[in-house]
Amino acid sequence: MEYDELDGPDGVPIRVPVSDDNYRTCAECGADCYPDPSITVEGQGARIAFVCAEHGVQSLVDPFEGQR
């Protein structure tokens, strides 16, 4: 999967998938999901969940996957 790198807070790069925006689209209703960075797992690093207001979490993105 290809990633686009953006400038994040404090110079920390943020990587998001380039190929398409399906990771942030609800599979049930097609709505644009909002990002929620509060989803974390102990020892698993940072994750950003994309959440549909009606159907819940649709995908998880790890912006630092390539740096581990």
Side-chain angles (χ1 to χ4, degrees):
M1 180 178 286
E2 293 182 43
Y3 292 91
D4 190 16
E5 194 166 295
L6 310 170
D7 291 330
D10 298 325
V12 176
I14 299 173
R15 295 176 353 127
V16 294
V18 174
S19 58
D20 58 42
D21 288 338
N22 288 337
Y23 68 94
R24 64 176 299 138
T25 303
C26 178
E28 293 190 42
C29 67
D32 187 37
C33 299
Y34 65 91
D36 181 359
S38 67
I39 306 283
T40 59
V41 177
E42 186 72 28
Q44 296 296 315
R47 299 270 198 285
I48 299 172
F50 286 90
V51 182
C52 174
E54 187 175 340
H55 300 106
V57 175
Q58 296 298 307
S59 65
L60 291 173
V61 175
D62 182 352
F64 304 106
E65 178 181 9
Q67 297 178 353
R68 290 192 194 96

